[in-house]
Amino acid sequence: MHEKSVAAVESALKEYYFNRFDLIHVPTRPAQREFGYQKINGGMMRHIAIKDDKELHLLLMKEIPSDVYCSNAYYSFPNLPMSEKDWKGADLIFDIDAKDLMLSCRKDHSIFKCVSCQVVTKDHLPKCAKCGSTRFESTSVTCKNCINESKKEVRKLIDILNNDLGIKNEEIEVYFSGNEGFHIRVTNQDYEQLDSQERADLADYTMFNGVMPETFGIRKQNTSKLDLPSIEEGGWRGRIARNLFSSKIKTSQTVKQIMVNGYSAFQLKLDEMRHIMGVRVDPKVTMDIHRIFRLEGSINSKSGLSKIQCNNLDSFDPFLQACLLGDDEVQIICNCPLPITLKNKKYGPYDNETVTLPKFAAVYMICKGLGNAI
Amino acid sequence: MHDDDTLQIQRAKYPFLTETGKYLKDKSLTLEELNNPDWKPVIEKAYHRITATIAGKIYNSNLDQPDIEILSFIIAIILLKKSGIPTFSRRFSLQEARRAENYLKRDLEWKGNGSILEHVKRKGQSQQLALDILRNEFKLDVVMAEDSFKVKVTDYLKRGAHFHEREWKLVNRKVEQGLVFLSSDETVRLIRKELDELIGSKIQSINIESIPDTFQERVRDIKTLANSTLEIVTFSGEYPPCVKHGIEVLERGENLSHSGRFLLATYLLARGQTVDQIVPLFKNAPDYNERITRYQLEHISGSLGKGTKYQCPSCDKLKSENLCFAIPDCDGIINPIQFGKKRKANA
């Protein structure tokens, strides 16, 4: 990001940090957490100990970071190097990102920018029409469908957390990530102690990964005795039964079909169901017990939107509710071939032109690499 | 059957739960008294208990004589401690753990004869004692359901997530409301490693200054047995740290995970060693069985089965299995096989 843009974004961030202390808090047990931050064009600063909101606010005002992070883990000595921190436990976290959902709408709101000559295009071309370079950076702009599909994944995850894993709603916090997805944090003493491998298995459970036909009563041999799941059952057995047997008539037909098709066909069927029914979380995030995770209330520098808690997931509109930077007018040069919608207002498309935008929209364009401050 | 008898039988099944000093005191016994020829059969039983496990067998108990069962266990761990042969101690704890596992399974799903009332009472007692052991010794709370046992998801994951078979993945379990449904076999399988460690810790922690002559004789026998059966296997040459770690674990006579053994086998085969050369490396493993080791190595080498020759796992795979102990010399390699070769190229 060039100098003037850095100054413009930092000014917006400073104003946000100063005005919205009400939104930015340290999580529970702050003295046991590791904090970290990044400045625009800067490296990651980690291993920072912060004991309360006051210290956090002081750091934000002093450093004006573009991104602020806090560990899901609890340590005896959060400011020491990793090997000396003395890990005590970690909240269980999940990351659901629209970019991992393979949605067909992605091509409609992706923008490609040539790394050499900065030309911007809506289409993914093999090479740049202007300079011939084959290297492109891609970015994606506001899309309601992406958010709605991500919400569906969140609902699937919450169903599993509640009904399979026995985690109560009051132990689950759902946050908009500040860009294109959601972060889910579980604070439960039993789950807090799980190590990385155990969390990986838990992530696989939510994703329906590694499932065997035997779990649903289908064996390689002795196929005459099926122990198929029933729709009254809980967990994945019940979920799969409800998917397979939607009515009594269908049940007998389906059972017959399963018996005729055999083991391998059922494995394929399970793989198909995994794509639809498994929750598409990022397993690397869930299994990481030393991760520093974006701090709630802070700004995500990929978009200029805030990571905020969603108390009502159904009605939550991130492009309205998480768009919290100021609305003074700012002039920028904008090169955005697609319209974006923020705070219910459409901006663009812009063809490399000087435009006057409210600060939140100007910062969004700059953060997405589609605009530069003048 | 009297309740005290039931308790005594339980102690015979699980002698590692008995505190040695307290037991001897309660029975008004001292080690000196055990030097008396009258006790010779018990010492012999203890020695037999050890030799059975060294041969890779599960010792067969006689629960009609619970006191002798308990005492023979206590003497066995004294003999092992005094012999100071870690490999034998580990084989003993492993096989004794398997023996206790069998009893725990049977106690959890108690099936016996007698009147219905007697049956219900004894079944309840037997199950309760097994559940108490799981809770008190292994912090595993087990809830009984109609035809299964239920444990908390987190208690399950702490154990099951470290098993390698796909059937142990949580997704392949019946899970509801934070509980995992298991059979009695599966419930007990969950604590196998802890059971082994608990028995091992009993041998480690026993502290006896001097032992009677009758014990000394058997200690000498155990040492002689060690000299004749255990081989000190040392390897030269530069191995990557993950392979070195596996070899060191085996040299100490400790249990190496399935993945660790697979790494050693595939690595050494890839480096041109033969099955005959590799077999002795596993001799100190607590569960060593030459026939099985040879069979598995031949499978991995592709000379048995469908002829698939298994490749050495990648560094990434080893990392995920906590078997990677990378050092700076590992920089730039993606498979342990490349260790050394790539370094030479860079030199």
Side-chain angles (χ1 to χ4, degrees):
Chain A
M1 201 182 284
H2 78 55
E3 223 171 279
K4 280 184 181 163
S5 294
V6 172
V9 174
E10 282 191 341
S11 148
L13 288 169
K14 192 169 185 175
E15 184 185 277
Y16 174 78
Y17 292 140
F18 188 75
N19 292 332
R20 300 311 305 259
F21 278 160
D22 60 314
L23 289 177
I24 314 167
H25 299 290
V26 290
T28 54
R29 295 156 69 181
Q32 290 180 277
R33 309 230 189 211
E34 176 199 354
F35 288 78
Y37 67 87
Q38 247 175 322
K39 291 181 66 121
I40 303 170
N41 299 339
M44 177 74 87
M45 304 292 291
R46 285 191 71 158
H47 314 298
I48 298 165
I50 288 177
K51 65 174 189 294
D52 53 26
D53 281 354
K54 207 171 152 191
E55 275 190 19
L56 172 68
H57 296 161
L58 207 64
L59 177 127
L60 298 180
M61 292 311 293
K62 196 173 151 219
E63 300 294 339
I64 323 288
S66 60
D67 299 273
V68 190
Y69 305 94
C70 173
S71 67
N72 59 326
Y74 307 107
Y75 304 102
S76 299
F77 311 105
N79 56 335
L80 294 186
M82 199 51 86
S83 58
E84 297 164 35
K85 282 190 189 324
D86 184 26
W87 189 88
K88 291 290 178 196
D91 300 332
L92 186 60
I93 52 172
F94 298 92
D95 180 17
I96 290 168
D97 198 320
K99 76 174 183 320
D100 301 328
L101 305 186
M102 315 287 180
L103 299 170
S104 57
C105 63
R106 297 295 289 179
K107 62 179 187 328
D108 304 329
H109 56 88
S110 291
I111 297 170
F112 302 90
K113 188 164 140 185
C114 172
V115 172
S116 307
C117 70
Q118 314 291 306
V119 158
V120 163
T121 155
K122 284 188 286 186
D123 306 310
H124 192 187
L125 303 169
K127 58 182 185 179
C128 175
K130 187 179 170 194
C131 73
S133 167
T134 52
R135 290 180 58 219
F136 290 89
E137 271 172 3
S138 76
T139 189
S140 152
V141 293
T142 58
C143 169
K144 280 205 165 165
N145 185 53
C146 280
I147 296 300
N148 288 337
E149 291 302 313
S150 303
K151 282 183 184 178
K152 283 184 192 166
E153 298 302 310
V154 175
R155 287 188 201 102
K156 275 156 52 179
L157 177 65
I158 292 175
D159 173 46
I160 291 174
L161 295 178
N162 285 161
N163 297 315
D164 299 18
L165 304 179
I167 297 167
K168 298 186 199 100
N169 272 334
E170 52 269 32
E171 296 169 322
I172 304 169
E173 290 161 15
V174 178
Y175 296 92
F176 170 60
S177 71
N179 192 26
E180 294 192 286
F182 292 89
H183 291 168
I184 294 90
R185 177 209 294 275
V186 171
T187 35
N188 173 299
Q189 277 190 347
D190 286 340
Y191 285 90
E192 171 182 314
Q193 290 304 316
L194 296 179
D195 73 14
S196 181
Q197 202 172 335
E198 293 150 13
R199 286 168 199 245
D201 197 25
L202 198 64
D204 276 343
Y205 183 84
T206 61
M207 297 169 83
F208 201 48
N209 266 349
V211 68
M212 298 160 74
E214 285 86 344
T215 307
F216 300 90
I218 316 292
R219 295 181 203 88
K220 277 183 183 156
Q221 272 113 28
N222 199 8
T223 48
S224 58
K225 278 187 190 172
L226 297 180
D227 172 28
L228 296 173
S230 73
I231 55 172
E232 295 84 25
E233 280 185 63
W236 277 114
R237 276 178 61 88
R239 237 171 250 120
I240 294 302
R242 288 187 288 279
N243 185 283
L244 288 172
F245 318 127
S246 50
S247 72
K248 274 196 175 168
I249 304 165
K250 214 179 158 197
T251 299
S252 59
Q253 285 170 349
T254 312
V255 171
K256 212 179 277 173
Q257 201 64 51
I258 289 171
M259 286 179 75
V260 170
N261 293 347
Y263 186 90
S264 307
F266 194 74
Q267 179 74 67
L268 290 175
K269 178 109 189 143
L270 286 176
D271 290 342
E272 269 171 36
M273 286 194 269
R274 176 168 57 87
H275 290 298
I276 304 159
M277 298 171 73
V279 188
R280 277 168 282 182
V281 298
D282 180 347
K284 290 197 288 299
V285 172
T286 302
M287 68 189 284
D288 190 347
I289 56 167
H290 299 289
R291 177 168 284 260
I292 49 173
F293 209 36
R294 193 173 295 285
L295 180 74
E296 45 268 38
S298 70
I299 297 280
N300 186 330
S301 76
K302 289 176 195 153
S303 65
L305 302 176
S306 296
K307 172 173 172 175
I308 58 165
Q309 192 163 1
C310 312
N311 295 319
N312 185 342
L313 188 66
D314 292 344
S315 64
F316 180 76
D317 177 359
F319 307 122
L320 175 66
Q321 287 160 271
C323 192
L324 296 168
L325 292 179
D327 50 13
D328 320 347
E329 293 195 331
V330 181
Q331 262 200 343
I332 61 166
I333 297 177
C334 201
N335 194 6
C336 179
L338 291 169
I340 61 154
T341 306
L342 288 172
K343 287 196 176 177
N344 290 332
K345 201 177 162 198
K346 215 161 135 185
Y347 301 94
Y350 303 118
D351 182 16
N352 221 3
E353 54 197 285
T354 301
V355 288
T356 303
L357 295 174
K359 200 180 276 175
F360 60 83
V363 171
Y364 184 89
M365 293 295 189
I366 296 172
C367 289
K368 289 280 174 188
L370 305 169
N372 281 313
I374 305 169
Chain B
M1 193 181 280
H2 198 271
D3 282 358
D4 285 349
D5 295 337
T6 312
L7 192 64
Q8 201 60 357
I9 289 174
Q10 288 298 328
R11 283 185 179 151
K13 288 178 189 169
Y14 314 111
F16 48 86
L17 299 177
T18 304
E19 210 264 293
T20 304
K22 189 174 178 301
Y23 179 81
L24 294 176
K25 204 175 153 194
D26 287 350
K27 296 283 167 191
S28 307
L29 270 173
T30 62
L31 284 183
E32 287 71 41
E33 280 171 308
L34 292 173
N35 210 14
N36 188 308
D38 291 350
W39 290 104
K40 188 111 203 245
V42 188
I43 297 166
E44 288 313 299
K45 201 175 184 69
Y47 182 67
H48 166 66
R49 211 165 172 145
I50 295 169
T51 52
T53 61
I54 290 172
K57 290 178 190 148
I58 296 177
Y59 159 74
N60 241 334
S61 302
N62 177 3
L63 299 180
D64 293 338
Q65 297 175 301
D67 266 325
I68 292 178
E69 281 299 310
I70 301 166
L71 205 50
S72 68
F73 177 85
I74 291 172
I75 295 171
I77 62 171
I78 295 172
L79 295 179
L80 283 166
K81 181 66 184 272
K82 285 291 172 190
S83 310
I85 315 284
T87 303
F88 284 175
S89 296
R90 289 194 186 96
R91 284 188 191 176
F92 178 83
S93 59
L94 184 74
Q95 297 303 339
E96 283 283 331
R98 297 236 160 116
R99 174 187 158 279
E101 229 183 277
N102 290 339
Y103 281 121
L104 274 171
K105 280 181 219 164
R106 277 183 240 164
D107 280 347
L108 279 179
E109 49 179 38
W110 194 88
K111 290 180 185 105
N113 302 316
S115 68
I116 294 178
L117 268 180
E118 177 74 0
H119 179 95
V120 169
K121 185 186 164 198
R122 291 207 34 218
K123 180 172 181 168
Q125 272 179 340
S126 171
Q127 284 179 329
Q128 195 51 53
L129 279 163
L131 294 178
D132 286 348
I133 292 172
L134 295 172
R135 182 171 46 248
N136 300 335
E137 302 298 325
F138 306 105
K139 295 187 173 60
L140 181 66
D141 262 315
V142 181
V143 181
M144 300 220 304
E146 213 164 281
D147 54 356
S148 58
F149 299 87
K150 297 190 275 189
V151 301
K152 280 208 283 199
V153 168
T154 44
D155 284 338
Y156 177 85
L157 283 172
K158 279 175 198 160
R159 298 159 172 103
H162 300 275
F163 297 169
H164 297 282
E165 297 84 1
R166 205 149 66 112
E167 69 194 68
W168 287 97
K169 280 185 78 63
L170 187 64
V171 76
N172 289 315
R173 296 281 139 190
K174 185 176 171 179
V175 183
E176 273 183 49
Q177 298 301 326
L179 296 170
V180 182
F181 291 63
L182 300 167
S183 68
S184 59
D185 280 17
E186 291 163 344
T187 308
V188 175
R189 170 66 186 90
L190 276 187
I191 54 133
R192 177 179 289 173
K193 191 163 168 252
E194 291 151 88
L195 202 49
D196 177 12
E197 284 166 358
L198 176 67
I199 298 170
S201 75
K202 292 283 164 185
I203 304 171
Q204 286 289 314
S205 64
I206 200 161
N207 203 1
I208 305 276
E209 294 268 310
S210 64
I211 51 169
D213 293 342
T214 43
F215 284 33
Q216 291 287 9
E217 275 172 42
R218 283 315 193 185
V219 168
R220 274 194 295 274
D221 291 341
I222 293 169
K223 285 181 176 167
T224 311
L225 196 60
N227 286 335
S228 62
T229 56
L230 295 182
E231 275 182 34
I232 301 198
V233 186
T234 48
F235 277 81
S236 56
E238 190 125 357
Y239 289 138
C242 48
V243 173
K244 266 189 195 160
H245 165 264
I247 292 171
E248 281 162 14
V249 170
L250 286 176
E251 277 180 352
R252 289 197 300 268
E254 288 174 10
N255 198 29
L256 184 65
S257 66
H258 171 76
S259 316
R261 292 175 195 214
F262 183 77
L263 159 70
L264 280 193
T266 48
Y267 178 85
L268 294 172
L269 285 165
R271 290 282 295 257
Q273 293 205 22
T274 63
V275 169
D276 282 338
Q277 285 171 312
I278 303 170
V279 167
L281 179 67
F282 293 93
K283 268 202 158 175
N284 291 353
D287 55 353
Y288 177 71
N289 176 318
E290 186 180 340
R291 191 179 55 80
I292 295 173
T293 304
R294 188 172 291 281
Y295 173 81
Q296 288 174 336
L297 283 170
E298 281 170 354
H299 241 284
I300 291 170
S301 71
S303 53
L304 277 183
K306 288 179 183 165
T308 311
K309 189 178 176 192
Y310 288 86
Q311 301 300 314
C312 185
S314 68
C315 297
D316 272 350
K317 173 87 177 149
L318 294 170
K319 265 182 213 147
S320 73
E321 293 171 332
N322 295 325
L323 286 169
C324 171
F325 303 90
I327 55 173
D329 284 348
C330 295
D331 286 353
I333 67 166
I334 56 166
N335 189 296
I337 293 297
Q338 297 165 321
F339 186 83
K341 291 181 193 165
K342 205 144 192 167
R343 202 156 40 112
K344 262 183 201 162
N346 289 341

